[in-house]
Structures are given as structure tokens and as C-alpha cells.
Amino acid sequence: MKAKLKYPIFSFAPKGNMIYVFRTEKLYTTTNTKLLMNRKNYIVVDSTGTKFVETGANKVKWLGIYGYCTRYQGRAMTIEYEYKDDPEVFPLEQLQALIADRYPKTCWFKEECWNSADEFRQTILNCKTFEEVADILMPKLRLSFWQRIEEGFIRIAFIILSVMFLYYVVWQIIQKFWQWFTG
């Protein structure tokens, strides 16, 4: 069965501790070959409170040049998931209890700067919507106008320096070849 999910969605393994949050379909349907091999029967809960169980995934297309991108380990691809035919209701309270129990056991918990597991549990249990829970687990990255401009200038400067370096190297090779050719 193919399902139309309402984002943000929560994805987790039946026995694992890590709970992933995806805000857009592009992020959810992009993976690599190494991660796809380890992904079996994941449970997906969308923001309407519907629980889907993944039964499989089909490759739609390769990303980048035949799947080789710089930011992924393994070949990157876009996939399409298939789910069991009977979606279930998954209330917010059940998701909150699951997150409060599993997430503090992950290796990322200390890096997220939570002082204690009790503080985290209390914050999760005080949320009223799925979107609030998603904001706690995966805050939206918001760059200011000036930060985006600065990032753009850094990229442009790097590209200009790279082109200048390549031009210089190619010019040196051409000169060496010409000297060798003319004797």
C-alpha cells in the first residue's frame, strides 16, 4: 500500500532506541544503499496520529551521478516505501511515552545538551501536538538574511579560488607540453 503522509513524521525501528524526525518528503525518501540494507519493518507515525509499518522500499532513481554524491556513504537514491494495508491509530500520548522511554538511551542524548532525562521526559510529555514534539527532537534550522548572504559569499569565494587554481594548473601543464613539443 502506498500512503500519503502528513509531515512531520516520526520513524523508528520496533526494537531500536533512535527516533528519526522528517519534516519533508524529500528528506524521508532520500537514502543510501548502506542505510537501506539495515532498514527493516520500520514504524512510521505521521502528524495525524496514524501508524504505518514499512514492508519494503523500491528505488525510484539514483541521485547525483549514478548515485555517487559527496555527502552520502554509499550510493544515494530516491526511494518509495510500501506499507502494510491496515494503518492503525497511534495517539500522541503513546508516541510521547515511547520517545520519553527510548530517546534518553541514545548516544545523541547527551550531545543535545539535555541536563537530565527527567527534564527531557517532562518537556516531551508537556507537548500538545505532534509538531511540538518534532520541534523538540529536530528543531527547524532558521538562518537570518545576513547569515544566508554570508554563506553565499563564502561559496562564491571558494568557487572563484578553485577556478583560479585550476586555471593556473592547466596553464602550467599547457606550457610544459608546449615546451616539450617545440623542443
Side-chain angles (χ1 to χ4, degrees), residues 19 90-105 120-121 124-125 133:
I19 296 166
F90 201 82
L92 177 62
E93 295 78 21
Q94 189 175 355
L95 180 68
Q96 289 171 324
L98 183 81
I99 291 171
D101 179 47
R102 289 186 179 186
Y103 196 73
K105 297 175 186 174
F120 174 76
R121 286 185 182 101
I124 288 293
L125 295 175
V133 175

Side-chain angles (χ1 to χ4, degrees), residues 157-171:
F158 178 73
I159 290 170
I160 289 171
L161 288 174
S162 299
V163 168
M164 289 171 54
F165 177 75
L166 287 174
Y167 176 74
Y168 176 74
V169 169
V170 169
W171 181 249

Side-chain angles (χ1 to χ4, degrees), residues 174-183:
I174 290 172
Q175 282 181 339
K176 295 287 184 188
F177 180 74
W178 184 254
Q179 288 176 357
W180 173 79
F181 185 69
T182 57

Side-chain angles (χ1 to χ4, degrees), residues 5-11 19-25 28-29 39 44-48 50 52 54 81 83 95 130 134:
L5 302 172
K6 186 171 183 301
Y7 290 86
I9 63 170
F10 303 88
S11 179
I19 296 166
Y20 302 97
V21 178
F22 298 98
R23 294 193 175 277
T24 62
E25 184 175 6
Y28 179 58
T29 59
R39 196 171 172 96
V44 177
V45 178
D46 69 354
S47 61
T48 61
T50 308
F52 299 93
E54 294 176 3
Y81 291 103
Y83 305 99
L95 180 68
F130 287 96

Side-chain angles (χ1 to χ4, degrees), residues 39-156:
R39 196 171 172 96
K40 302 282 188 244
N41 296 328
Y42 265 58
I43 297 169
V44 177
V45 178
D46 69 354
S47 61
T48 61
T50 308
K51 172 184 158 185
F52 299 93
V53 178
E54 294 176 3
T55 57
N58 301 319
K59 178 183 75 96
V60 176
K61 66 178 182 175
W62 293 112
L63 294 176
I65 301 170
Y66 298 107
Y68 293 103
C69 297
T70 56
R71 62 182 177 176
Y72 291 103
Q73 296 176 351
R75 294 178 73 183
M77 66 182 110
T78 300
I79 56 176
E80 188 175 79
Y81 291 103
E82 293 184 11
Y83 305 99
K84 285 188 178 177
D85 289 333
D86 52 344
E88 302 172 12
V89 175
F90 201 82
L92 177 62
E93 295 78 21
Q94 189 175 355
L95 180 68
Q96 289 171 324
L98 183 81
I99 291 171
D101 179 47
R102 289 186 179 186
Y103 196 73
K105 297 175 186 174
T106 64
C107 61
W108 300 103
F109 183 73
K110 293 290 183 190
E111 291 184 22
E112 296 292 330
C113 299
W114 288 96
N115 293 332
S116 68
D118 294 331
E119 177 189 352
F120 174 76
R121 286 185 182 101
Q122 191 62 35
T123 305
I124 288 293
L125 295 175
N126 286 339
C127 293
K128 304 290 185 224
T129 63
F130 287 96
E131 287 79 12
E132 288 179 24
V133 175
D135 286 338
I136 290 173
L137 290 179
M138 181 93 131
K140 290 180 184 175
L141 179 62
R142 297 177 192 244
L143 295 176
S144 72
F145 177 71
W146 293 110
Q147 288 172 328
R148 289 189 304 232
I149 288 176
E150 181 182 353
E151 185 177 307
F153 278 126
I154 290 172
R155 286 183 182 171
I156 289 170

